Amino acid sequence: MTPIDDLYAIVPAGGAGTRLWPLSRRSRPKFLLDVLGTGRTLLQGTLDRLLPLTGPDRVVVVTGTAHAAAVAEQLPEVGVANLVAEPSPRDSMAAIGLAAAILERRHGSVLVASFAADHVVPDVEGFHTAVRHAAVAARAGYVTTIGITPTAPSTAFGYIRSGAPLEPTEGGPTARAVVEFVEKPDAETAAGYLASGDVAWNAGMFVARTDVLLGHLERLQPPLAAGLREIAAAWDTAEREEVLGRVWPTLTRIAIDHAIAEPVAATGGVAVVPGAFTWDDVGDWASLATLVSPDGDGVRRVSAGGASPVVAIDAPGAFVSADRPVAVVGLRDAVVVLTPDALLVTDAAHAQQVKAVVDELLARDRSDLV
Amino acid sequence: MTPIDDLYAIVPAGGAGTRLWPLSRRSRPKFLLDVLGTGRTLLQGTLDRLLPLTGPDRVVVVTGTAHAAAVAEQLPEVGVANLVAEPSPRDSMAAIGLAAAILERRHGSVLVASFAADHVVPDVEGFHTAVRHAAVAARAGYVTTIGITPTAPSTAFGYIRSGAPLEPTEGGPTARAVVEFVEKPDAETAAGYLASGDVAWNAGMFVARTDVLLGHLERLQPPLAAGLREIAAAWDTAEREEVLGRVWPTLTRIAIDHAIAEPVAATGGVAVVPGAFTWDDVGDWASLATLVSPDGDGVRRVSAGGASPVVAIDAPGAFVSADRPVAVVGLRDAVVVLTPDALLVTDAAHAQQVKAVVDELLARDRSDLV
């Protein structure tokens, strides 16, 4: 396949993934981990997915200074000029906005497409198709999102509600206007969404022209836009550290959803194209378990020591990640994760509560374990 | 306290304890393990309990040749003359009968008291009192058992049904005749037993004069009695190995319950004295968990690395044995046992099914793990 000539990918690599404790830690966040045991980390998988669309020179990764070295090591294809290290977390608008502003200064107005570093997309071909479609709508001036076709009434994801089809554009499918973005619903609301048929999961994937994106930002968040442009102007100069150190801490902390997607959608400026591919944000162990194919005996496992037996007695749906033999007896949808310094035992229904383990360890002054 | 002058203790140390996998293994059976993390193995705990009654010279331990070295190492107080190694397992009647026959040859008719090597008796004083009472009835000619006062309608133990009080004997309480021994009942039957008030748990504790015990055996199992006497006659001579190798494999495999306790009870020759002390056969992890006091947060733990935190979120009744931090989330009465080469995850309600793990590992040709 051929790359999309005017497309640059932005990969904000942040977030701790505390619900994947004990595998994920503050020092080894989710995106740096090979959570599926495929031999590639989530970050590397993200790059693998993007390279056919952009080539190696058009992917920019934004991460915290604490993880910059690890990111560089995991992504030798990405040049140092395309690794943007944030001095401190200022949320996704600052991260994506800075990358967009740097790219615009370097290349003029281009298309930027932003994808989280810690999601899983098994259907790479479907993903590529959706990005190509999104690029068409983005070139036409829309902030364009990819709405994942829901396969279940999930309460773990936000939703995108779409409205009327937009004017057909050459080479693209009929994109639709986004009516609204809605937060994670309760189960009943989610079931209603699914029945209505005009909703999609919000995977946080945005494609836009830099002039469109930064134009919206200038209008909606003027101080943030000005700060980002000031840093971007200094980025490829000797002034970078000075300006970054002075301006970055002053930037507004806001997510791109709240800064741009929601207000721009309200005035008809956001389009959505269908993403008919399998996708997951690997939000917890239950989510991860669904991405792993079961063995012949129904056990789902991720393990470096794959030869170790897992014996499940009266224990359907067990998920096991461990470096030694494991027996699960009498538990349904058990989740067992053993690391060299900790062990988690839970079940799929309680996977979201793993965050409370991290909170409790911090309360016990055991930050060494989180 | 003063020892009981004419009492010799016999400790048959056998059985695998497969329900305590992965801690117990064929090479490290339950009696050799410090399952409670007290610093003493169950075998050592058994000896500790018996020494005040007998002194170190009057305890005989009978075990398989495979475990003889480990037993000797764990019990330096027990002289080599009092370690009886069986060439192969021939069940409890042969083990106890051989020890009794050896003791009778050495010392004439004495009292022998038999106690399993892998039980737990937290209330040592109550145990001593019961043995003293049993010794009185045994001297009077009864095969005497100690019936544990039940604290719950357990289906995990056999029961002893008692009848009329026997003639009071000097220094002893009123012992009762045993009407019958009954196998592990179902829950309804167990509840009925408890309500009737004339039952006790059968802990397999027997006290008898050697002439009484071996006399019953001669009458009820003549070939077995003859074989044991032949081996005992050769035991402290140069002929031991020759006679043992020739005769032992021919001995009838039978439990002392079936060989003596049940038939002798039927003719009024068995007495029971009350054992009003806490006792457990540590039959599975659920049983073991009840013997461990919970932490402040309700977690019961056994661990060499006792300083490792255990975080229980929405997980009442968790039992944990592990050398590293463990989090249990959303499971009730969870049982988590981590050893250097295996991990078990189950709950108290399924603890009996752990035996199936061992069976499955053997079926998968992984005898190295059992």
Side-chain angles (χ1 to χ4, degrees), chain B residues 302-360:
Chain B
V302 174
S303 176
S308 298
V310 175
V311 176
I313 304 287
D314 195 10
F319 171 85
V320 171
S321 172
D323 64 355
R324 68 195 69 190
V326 174
V328 183
V329 180
L331 304 174
R332 176 172 292 272
D333 296 330
V335 170
V336 178
V337 182
L338 178 65
T339 69
D341 65 350
L343 169 61
L344 167 70
V345 178
T346 183
D347 62 16
H350 295 84
Q352 286 280 313
Q353 283 178 261
V354 171
K355 189 176 184 305
V357 174
V358 172
D359 296 341
E360 175 66 19

Side-chain angles (χ1 to χ4, degrees), chain B residues 148 150 154-161 181-185 193 199-204 279 281:
Chain B
I148 311 295
S154 173
T155 60
F157 308 134
Y159 283 73
I160 302 166
R161 181 188 295 281
F181 291 87
V182 284
E183 302 281 325
K184 295 177 187 182
Y193 285 163
V199 298
W201 288 336
N202 180 5
W279 162 87
D281 71 350

Side-chain angles (χ1 to χ4, degrees), chain A residues 21 297 309-311 324-331 336 339-347 350 353 357 360 364 366, chain B residues 21 297 309-311 324-331 336 339-347 350 357 360 364 366 369:
Chain A
W21 185 92
D297 58 356
V310 174
V311 176
R324 69 195 69 189
V326 175
V328 184
V329 180
L331 303 174
V336 177
T339 68
D341 65 351
L343 169 61
L344 168 70
V345 177
T346 183
D347 62 15
H350 296 84
Q353 284 180 258
V357 173
E360 175 65 19
R364 294 193 198 176
R366 292 303 301 263
Chain B
W21 185 93
D297 58 355
V310 175
V311 176
R324 68 195 69 190
V326 174
V328 183
V329 180
L331 304 174
V336 178
T339 69
D341 65 350
L343 169 61
L344 167 70
V345 178
T346 183
D347 62 16
H350 295 84
V357 174
E360 175 66 19
R364 294 193 199 176
R366 291 303 301 265
L369 293 172

Side-chain angles (χ1 to χ4, degrees), chain A residues 213-234:
Chain A
L213 189 76
L214 296 171
H216 284 307
L217 194 65
E218 224 145 60
R219 183 169 54 82
L220 296 163
Q221 299 280 339
L224 177 53
L228 291 174
R229 288 213 194 268
E230 184 176 358
I231 297 170

